[in-house]
Amino acid sequence: MALQTIANNMLATQSLVDGFAAVALHLDAPVSEEAAMVCKDIRVGARTEEALTNLSERCQSLHVDAVVTALCIGL
């Protein structure tokens, strides 16, 4: 659900951060909390790649690692 929300938002706004903001706003914890942390990292000055890497380190999941890798390649 989170990936679909990010993808749909990116189609509309062309912004990965907007996609994560939509996840933070519309989905349940813990995914919304993690998406909010990504947005916060970027808002305080982290590069998108850094914010995504931080997400990957916090989650310790191969699935999240795969998504982060794909997003970083696409940036």
Side-chain angles (χ1 to χ4, degrees), residues 20-69:
F20 275 95
V23 169
L25 184 63
H26 298 294
L27 297 183
D28 294 329
V31 71
S32 64
E33 294 167 350
E34 290 298 334
M37 290 290 290
V38 170
C39 293
K40 179 183 173 194
D41 283 351
I42 293 170
R43 204 171 40 247
V44 298
R47 291 186 350 250
T48 304
E49 293 88 353
E50 289 175 288
L52 292 172
T53 301
N54 292 341
L55 170 69
S56 181
E57 290 173 0
R58 283 192 306 271
C59 292
Q60 295 292 305
S61 163
L62 292 176
H63 299 289
V64 174
D65 290 347
V67 170
V68 166
T69 300

Side-chain angles (χ1 to χ4, degrees), residues 6-19 75:
I6 291 169
N8 289 342
N9 215 293
M10 287 181 67
L11 285 172
T13 67
Q14 300 294 309
S15 171
L16 180 61
V17 178
D18 288 346
L75 291 176

